[in-house]
Amino acid sequence: MNFDLTDEQKLWQKTVHEFVANEVQPKAHEVDVTGEFNWTATRKMGPLGLLGLNIPEEYGGAGVDAVSAAIAIEELGWGCGSTALAIAAHNGLGTTPIVLYGSEELKKQWLPLVANGKNKLAALALTEPGAGSDLQGGVVTKAVKDGNEWVINGAKMWCTNASIAEYIITLVRTDPAGGSRSLSQILAPTDTPGVKIGPAEKKMGLHGSPTHAVTYEDVRVPLDNLIGEEGK
Ligand SMILES: Cc1cc2nc3c(=O)[nH]c(=O)nc-3n(C[C@H](O)[C@H](O)[C@H](O)COP(=O)(O)OP(=O)(O)OC[C@H]3O[C@@H](n4cnc5c(N)ncnc54)[C@H](O)[C@@H]3O)c2cc1C
């Protein structure tokens, strides 16, 4: 098996490396000391494709192969661990669920918006105060149907990008009886009334990658914001 990078992947690596050397690495120390997310570099990542690594081109992304996506995050990590974590979470956690399982409407509405660098990013909230490794047994954040809407109540922890995200894909229990088909993912725009994002956690490192507690108090979103099938 040949593990060498293709010419196209080598060119991509060089392009991303040069971008990171100019825009990301010089700010790494400042980002770590101040805890300020590097928006200046992130704005320029949209046109380069770094905010849509897994997003097909028809939805405004770069749609690169898995090795090229890994190369991009590796190069970002070379320049600044915080920025790399935020961009990795945006791509891998915040957009991939929509790419893989979202409806056509959700793809059209959200993917171009978060891939172009002009807006905020994407986030995924799984972890809760009582649910880390054991999401299946521990998640108590719930969503119940009310007319054409889901009503979400609960609390999440350690959500990367929450304060710099357009939406948070939220893992919720949709069947109170529990069991292996009781969890669903629902997209909650961060400006929805009832979404409360706590202050950035004071971590031991990666200060420029904001991590937050998020609470949901009677958060109403359309039923169509379900990603994939209910309970799956
Ligand atoms: C910087 C940072 C960013 C994060 N970003 C996100 C995010 O964007 N979205 C999100 O949803 N979450 C996020 N998280 C949370 C992360 O996913 C959880 O911390 C992780 O799932 C582990 O859960 P926990 O911390 O509750 O640890 P626990 O599940 O309590 O585990 C603690 C320890 O016990 C071990 N352990 C657990 N269960 C068992 C078992 N059955 N047998 C043996 N050992 C076991 C674990 O391996 C671990 O060493 C983030 C966390 C950090 C630190």
Side-chain angles (χ1 to χ4, degrees):
M1 199 168 181
N2 183 3
F3 289 104
D4 292 341
L5 300 183
T6 64
D7 288 345
E8 201 179 349
Q9 288 166 342
K10 284 179 190 162
L11 181 62
W12 170 248
Q13 185 176 45
K14 186 168 176 289
T15 305
V16 179
H17 186 85
E18 283 172 5
F19 170 80
V20 173
N22 290 328
E23 304 285 346
V24 178
Q25 197 273 342
K27 291 279 181 192
H29 180 67
E30 183 185 327
V31 158
D32 191 57
V33 170
T34 63
E36 296 283 332
F37 180 66
N38 188 346
W39 273 118
T40 308
T42 303
R43 295 275 171 246
K44 297 175 185 172
M45 290 181 198
L48 203 57
L50 293 173
L51 303 181
L53 292 170
N54 311 312
I55 300 175
E57 288 180 36
E58 62 185 299
Y59 304 110
V64 300
D65 62 275
V67 171
S68 297
I71 288 170
I73 301 304
E74 191 176 47
E75 290 300 332
L76 283 164
W78 165 76
C80 174
S82 293
T83 307
L85 175 57
I87 301 306
H90 161 77
N91 280 287
L93 305 181
T95 68
T96 303
I98 302 178
V99 171
L100 293 179
Y101 304 111
S103 66
E104 189 59 24
E105 288 70 29
L106 286 178
K107 287 177 183 171
K108 282 187 188 151
Q109 184 178 358
W110 294 104
L111 295 179
L113 190 100
V114 298
N116 66 16
K118 295 178 183 158
N119 303 295
K120 293 198 279 184
L121 303 176
L124 174 75
L126 312 175
T127 309
E128 300 187 0
S133 306
D134 183 17
L135 295 173
Q136 180 66 55
V139 165
V140 293
T141 295
K142 64 178 181 180
V144 294
K145 287 179 191 166
D146 183 27
N148 290 330
E149 295 175 319
W150 293 104
V151 184
I152 306 172
N153 278 284
K156 295 290 179 179
M157 291 289 290
W158 312 114
C159 183
T160 300
N161 292 352
S163 60
I164 54 169
E166 294 287 343
Y167 61 78
I168 303 172
I169 296 174
T170 307
L171 184 70
V172 292
R173 203 165 292 278
T174 41
D175 180 355
S180 62
R181 289 279 184 264
S182 62
L183 294 174
S184 306
Q185 290 194 324
I186 296 176
L187 185 152
T190 47
D191 61 2
T192 312
V195 174
K196 294 191 179 144
I197 297 167
E201 300 289 351
K202 295 195 188 314
K203 305 194 297 296
M204 292 171 72
L206 299 169
H207 300 129
S209 162
T211 319
H212 302 265
V214 183
T215 56
Y216 302 71
E217 291 175 21
D218 290 327
V219 172
R220 290 178 169 272
V221 300
L223 290 183
D224 291 344
N225 281 21
L226 178 73
I227 295 179
E229 291 176 48
E230 185 178 336
K232 284 183 139 183

